[in-house]
Amino acid sequence: METSDNTLLSFLNTAQQSAVTAAKGNLLVLAGAGSGKTRVIVHRIAWLITEQHVSPYSILAVTFTNKAAGEMRARLEELLGREAQSIWVGTFHGLSHKLLRLHWQEAGLPQNFQVIDGDDQLQMIKRIFKQLEVNEDRFEPKKIQSYINRKKDEGLRGIRAIDENPYEKVVQAIYQQYEKNCKENGLVDFAELLLRCYELLKNNSELLSHYQARFSHLLVDEFQDTNAIQYQWLSLLAGKSASVTAVGDDDQSIYGWRGAKIENIRRFEREFKETQMVRLEQNYRSTATILSAANALIENNGGRFGKNLWTEGEAGDPITVYAGFNEEDEALYVVREIREWLKSGKGADIGILYRSNAQSRVLEESFVRAGIPYSIYGGLRFFERAEIKDALAYVRLVVNTEDNTSFERILNVPPRGIGDRSLEKIREIVVSNQCSYWEAAKKAIETQVLSAKIESSLRSFVALISGLQTTTKTSLVDLIQAVIRDSGLLRFFKEQEGEKAQNRAENLEELMNAANDYEAEYSSEDELSPITAFLSYTSLEGGERVHASTENAVQLMTIHSAKGLEFPMVFICGLEDGLFPHHFSRESEQALEEERRLCYVGITRAKRKLYLTYAEKRRIFGRDEERQPSRFIEEVPEHLVNAIHRKVTVQAPTMMQKRVIDRSENETGLRLGQRVVHPKFGEGMLLDTEGSGERTRVHVRFDQYGNKWLALAYAKLEPV
DNA sequence: TCTATGGTGATTTTT
DNA sequence: TCACCATAGA
């Protein structure tokens, strides 16, 4: 390799360089927001290979998301070319999956085991509820699901000491049955991938020493997000001799509620011998003002490693705090500011961030009215969509008739007249014969326990699946095509009216394309059938999140999903006590600190302009409630904030309110936020005005009739 | 077996 | 408020 030390390091600052070139041994990189951490990991790998002559084959790099893994891989290929290909880069789940595929026998799995996602898991638990006749009033499937996942994330198998607590007893029984079903059906859930892989290495000294000898360098991104099992996994694989580079930011840990252990950073320092620490504090993203705000806010958290972001850049504009009189006013303000920004020719690369998804609606409505293109990030991913999962369930059942979850899912999809009653009959056979649903279905036909009509439906269903099984031998694309055609799914949606159904039909066609692309790139390195490989792929990589693909659209999303992104202009909306910090986080100091970190993440997404907004009144579950500004607003130093807005909006009517008062008080005596009554529509609240003089129109939210625009001259509005 | 109604409860989300 | 579900009628 001809890359010289110089070119590799020339664009890095001193701290980055010392992280990249840290000597053999363990390294903890505390990387602040926007400090170039991915860059550091990628360059460190390149440096190890080109300067230290470490074999690419001995390097393992772990990330949390497929997206991050993909980016890392791409950047490595840019730097290293073909040599990058033998580096193992992937997510914890992806790499565990790979190891389990390679060593399925030692792991005690069938060769064609399948990966199930959270939705499949929940379905299975619901089925167990029916099987074990669990009372759904006392036990919720969702709670049980998170119980199981929590246990696995902790690295614990459920079947320990039998608890005498009757509640626990039931939960344990469900857990046991769940494990049994997974085993019988050859299914592995997400948490299981990690746990099983950990156990595989733990219980197999030969395998373990092989991989320990192979991977001399392990690198982990977003270390603050690791949970217990991921830490153990890493620690086991590292053994005594590997060098581990952990990169993370304790201030950006926002997944504690999902089992991430921020303490893992301290633990790393303690348990991984002679750890060097490097802090990346120079920020290349935000203005000094924004960084000061972020620093001041996060200062209120205890037990931090401590880190102060700084920049060589300019101070930039002050942060604007806006208090709307209600959530619609807040949204209208956002729209107005965006309009101004767009008018001055700046791009629509704008992030509207909020604590919870429910907030998106009001914002969305105001963007629609203003005609500003927007896209909402969130919702289902491609492979999570119902119609796609239906089609894939056919594939799963064809490949593995033991897959009861899939059987149940598609038995009556599209509707073929086999409803709950018939399913119940089949389930009885399952219980009495201890067999799969598939076997039970065949038995039901033989023993003629069903009505003639349903029996014939069931017969053709069995014939359909059997017929598809012969297609298995050809190819993935052929099978998917046959499934979509022969199952009647595509026809079912095509025959329906409405955009929704047409969309679903299109999605099914898109699935064929996805399979086509996958098969074209597929190389059978671990003698895995392309069909099995594709099914795992669909579970492990949910595909792109759905959002309207408008060019030049402002982006609406939760702060959680904004992590890792940046925008020149950022709005953080709904900064109110009880919403952000969320009232669920009120009890514990720990939870509050995580909320504060979340706010820190939000603030540090902004490059140039930052707005913090809230509403003094908000509709919560249909009730107008008085709101207090979030403590996080108070934690931003006064001198960084646009004081004019703050004073005006907090203590006096807003500019807009003033205008309306000036203009209309003489004529109507109305002001924004005021309660009014209309002869036909009854009572409501004045939201906005438009135009002037005779053409003045007012926007009113009526209690009974919803939002309406009315011409002020004709509408006989009276103040209440 | 498919469609209407009522009770319930309501963060954040990747794999 | 409203979306999700479970249960009851056509």
Side-chain angles (χ1 to χ4, degrees), chain A residues 286-318:
Chain A
S286 312
T287 64
T289 302
I290 290 167
L291 289 184
S292 307
N295 284 334
L297 177 91
I298 203 67
E299 193 79 359
N300 293 293
N301 273 4
R304 301 171 54 225
F305 273 84
K307 188 167 30 54
N308 247 302
L309 292 180
W310 60 277
T311 175
E312 285 178 348
E314 55 187 20
D317 293 341

Side-chain angles (χ1 to χ4, degrees), chain A residues 270-547:
Chain A
R270 220 169 41 236
E271 293 178 2
F272 284 73
K273 296 280 171 290
E274 290 155 36
T275 299
Q276 289 184 71
M277 202 196 291
V278 176
R279 282 185 167 77
L280 304 181
E281 296 175 297
Q282 183 174 3
N283 173 290
Y284 296 94
R285 181 186 292 154
S286 312
T287 64
T289 302
I290 290 167
L291 289 184
S292 307
N295 284 334
L297 177 91
I298 203 67
E299 193 79 359
N300 293 293
N301 273 4
R304 301 171 54 225
F305 273 84
K307 188 167 30 54
N308 247 302
L309 292 180
W310 60 277
T311 175
E312 285 178 348
E314 55 187 20
D317 293 341
I319 293 158
T320 307
V321 172
Y322 181 81
F325 68 86
N326 67 10
E327 73 275 16
E328 293 182 63
D329 177 44
E330 179 190 33
L332 286 167
Y333 174 76
V334 172
V335 162
R336 271 196 299 276
E337 288 299 308
I338 289 176
R339 268 200 182 131
E340 286 302 310
W341 172 273
L342 294 175
K343 242 188 244 164
S344 64
K346 299 179 180 106
D349 191 10
I350 299 166
I352 323 289
L353 313 183
Y354 36 78
R355 177 65 238 266
S356 66
N357 285 310
Q359 290 169 255
S360 68
R361 195 141 103 190
V362 182
L363 291 159
E364 182 178 10
E365 279 170 16
S366 61
F367 284 116
V368 171
R369 276 205 296 270
I372 295 173
Y374 67 94
S375 66
I376 297 183
Y377 185 93
L380 290 182
R381 294 149 167 271
F382 182 74
F383 292 119
E384 287 168 354
R385 294 170 164 226
E387 62 276 18
I388 300 299
K389 295 210 71 158
D390 291 339
L392 292 174
Y394 275 94
V395 178
R396 282 167 187 259
L397 188 62
V398 165
V399 175
N400 171 20
T401 52
E402 303 286 299
D403 189 337
N404 297 331
T405 309
S406 296
F407 179 94
E408 208 181 21
R409 181 176 186 110
I410 55 171
L411 180 63
N412 200 30
V413 176
R416 45 174 73 86
I418 311 173
D420 279 346
R421 275 306 277 287
S422 317
L423 183 62
E424 202 53 55
K425 287 229 172 88
I426 295 172
R427 193 174 289 129
E428 277 165 26
I429 302 175
V430 167
V431 173
S432 60
N433 289 2
Q434 291 295 304
C435 65
S436 67
Y437 278 53
W438 171 251
E439 289 301 325
K442 289 201 283 195
K443 213 155 260 153
I445 296 169
E446 281 167 30
T447 53
Q448 304 190 325
V449 290
L450 301 163
S451 72
K453 202 169 131 205
I454 291 170
E455 191 184 301
S456 109
S457 291
L458 191 58
R459 239 179 239 284
S460 51
F461 177 73
V462 169
L464 167 68
I465 301 298
S466 307
L468 288 166
Q469 279 174 330
T470 59
T471 326
T472 313
K473 291 171 192 76
T474 54
S475 81
L476 167 65
V477 177
D478 291 344
L479 177 59
I480 298 264
Q481 224 154 39
V483 161
I484 290 171
R485 179 170 26 104
D486 300 348
S487 68
L489 271 178
L490 187 61
R491 201 179 331 121
F492 176 65
F493 291 123
K494 277 202 165 158
E495 281 168 1
Q496 278 175 54
E497 299 286 316
E499 206 181 331
K500 231 175 168 178
Q502 292 318 304
N503 234 315
R504 292 189 162 159
E506 280 168 26
N507 285 333
L508 286 175
E509 278 159 1
E510 191 53 40
L511 178 64
M512 290 194 241
N513 294 336
N516 218 335
D517 293 349
Y518 188 86
E519 195 162 57
E521 281 183 30
Y522 180 76
S523 59
S524 70
E525 51 174 279
D526 2 282
E527 21 180 299
L528 198 59
S529 101
I531 296 166
T532 302
F534 181 70
L535 287 173
S536 305
Y537 164 79
T538 60
S539 298
L540 284 166
E541 308 212 13
E544 284 289 298
R545 278 206 178 267
V546 186
H547 51 151

Side-chain angles (χ1 to χ4, degrees), chain A residues 28-47:
Chain A
L28 178 61
V29 182
L30 287 177
S35 65
K37 75 184 160 70
T38 312
R39 200 185 166 85
V40 163
I41 299 184
V42 169
H43 280 255
R44 179 157 171 80
I45 293 172
W47 179 82

